[in-house]
Amino acid sequence: MTKIVVDPVTRIEGHLRVEARVEDGFVQEAWCAGTQFRGMELILPGRDPRDAWLFAQRICGVCTTVHALASVRAVEDALQIEIPPNAQLLRELMAGIQFVQDHVVHFYHLHALDWADPAAALEADAGEAAQLAADLSDWPGNTTQQFQAVQDQLKALVASGQLSTFTNAYFGHPSYRLSPKVNLMLMSHYLEALRFQREIVKAHALLGGKNPHPQTYLVGGMAIPLDLSSDAALNAGKIAQLKTWFAQAKDFVRQVYYNDALALATFYKDWFNLGRSAGNYLCYGGFPDPDHAGELFPSGILLGGDLTGTQPTDQEKINEYVTRSWFSYDQGDLSGRHPSQGQTAPEYTGPQAQYEELPTDGKYSWNKAPRYDGLPMEVGPLARVLVAYAQGQPRVKALADGALQRLGVSLDELQSTMGRIVARALETVAIADALPQWLAQLEANMSRGDLSIHNNGKWSPTSWPAQAQGQGFHEAPRGGLGHWVRIENGKIAHYQCVVPTTWNASPRDHAGRPGPYETALVGTPIADPERPVEVLRTVHSFDPCMACAAHLVDARGRELTRVRVV
């Protein structure tokens, strides 16, 4: 028996530790620990609920706008505030462009090196690589000259001994199987994706005032004035710029990212049979379908791997357990608490040194264990695509059927490590296609003279009830996100959030049921225990965001710093 430890899990916000027991070359059991404490719920009580989103989006420097959106929705739900259609469209545009940017970054910069070997690209023939890429699409960067320039750049990096972003790659690992020309194609697109994401995220700066942490959300709507002819508003010129960016996003996603994801899958088809979680999927729903009634990703529950039909979501069935987490509950740690009644009471009892093993027979993670009707649930792109497919969502079903036919795999095989990669690409195509249509709807409203962006009816606390409670949901890039707020006498009395990575990276619960990461790792083949790239493949396929799931506390309970907000 071999015990392997990956700590930190890199190419994410790396506060994640994975321990796995390996026998006969396969993972038999795994434990995943968030290694930092998430305490935003302790910061928000006592504050004005209209300001909650400004604090909540600081949960993470990557998933910024998603927490702002869930937060304003929670407060609006509590105060029964409806927002104007233009405000909803602006929110969809900001959320959608983040999806596109985030998923492209994940595939190339957070996940590609689990599958691609940059050193192998040095052996490629640039002309053959360019021909391969040209067979997949007519992307203008797929030229012999471009690929030769990238190969020369890689050679210079290797010769320098300073490998930059490739420093921790497992060069020559026996589990890599891409041909040199495919490696070169992916490395060229890796570098193009750096430039692409830098440009496309400018849409957030235009609509949100800045990126990260947009500044234009408001309880009741948005703070983006609309006027086609005003220099001080979202005008015709800025809409034209957004159209250009969205067209660029659609081209890159369809011609480069989508084809690269499917090309990768053809070389690793055995990974459609690895990395399956318990088969329970949760989607809160989101993003309007511009061509059909309803949402691109409708809400629903799938259980036990049965993809034939969904159940409606019921947020009242959500409970969080801390039996194996470094928290305590007033009523004891064997009972769960609904987030509306949740407690965040840290009680660290874990290792005092970095290299101590986790106490896996007791409490071993800063992540709580969310459960839906007692069951662990996977959230994220795979959950969204499977739920949408089961409900016959036209866009998603057509995209999925096309990819499945091209790859020669079944819908059931999407429940896997490689399936998450394919699902993420599929939903990126769907959203990139929808962005110009949402923008066209906004422009049409403005042309008709509808410039409303905010509902001022309940802005003043004098119009609020003495007590109010609400919840706000959003399908973030990494999965279903929920914020719960209770307001008393105009102030936040209670605040809890359950983020996607808390669902996916959860430890075992009161009944000993492992979380999705832990389940998905079982059965993973390990070619080299000293370089467990296979563990990274499955964990990274979920796109962890540990900063959302955990924030900092000193292991001995000492106060590190005190910040006064004036």
Side-chain angles (χ1 to χ4, degrees), residues 465-478:
Q467 293 185 341
Q469 185 165 295
Q471 51 273 328
F473 302 103
H474 174 53
E475 279 297 322
R478 290 158 181 84

Side-chain angles (χ1 to χ4, degrees), residues 206 227-231 233-245 439 443 446:
L206 191 156
D227 190 332
L228 291 172
S229 59
S230 171
D231 290 339
L234 183 62
N235 56 29
K238 292 175 183 176
I239 288 176
Q241 178 62 71
L242 288 170
K243 288 180 180 178
T244 298
W245 283 329
L439 183 61
E443 185 178 24
M446 295 169 65

Side-chain angles (χ1 to χ4, degrees), residues 11 110-116 176 268 533 536-538 540-541:
R11 282 185 264 119
L110 304 182
H111 202 20
L113 296 187
D114 298 336
W115 311 94
Y176 286 137
Y268 290 99
V533 68
L536 296 180
R537 286 174 175 175
T538 289
H540 283 158
S541 74

Side-chain angles (χ1 to χ4, degrees), residues 103 106-108 110-115 257-266 268 271-272 274 378 380-382 385 403 407 413-429 536-543:
H103 282 352
H106 174 263
F107 179 78
Y108 289 103
L110 304 182
H111 202 20
L113 296 187
D114 298 336
W115 311 94
Y257 170 33
Y258 173 77
N259 286 304
D260 283 355
L262 268 59
L264 181 74
T266 62
Y268 290 99
W271 281 84
F272 281 108
L274 296 168
E378 178 175 338
L382 181 58
V385 167
L407 292 169
E413 289 176 293
L414 284 184
Q415 300 185 79
S416 60
T417 295
M418 191 55 64
R420 292 184 194 96
I421 296 172
V422 172
R424 187 171 286 108
L426 293 176
E427 72 173 11
T428 310
V429 172
L536 296 180
R537 286 174 175 175
T538 289
V539 173
H540 283 158
S541 74
F542 289 90
D543 191 10

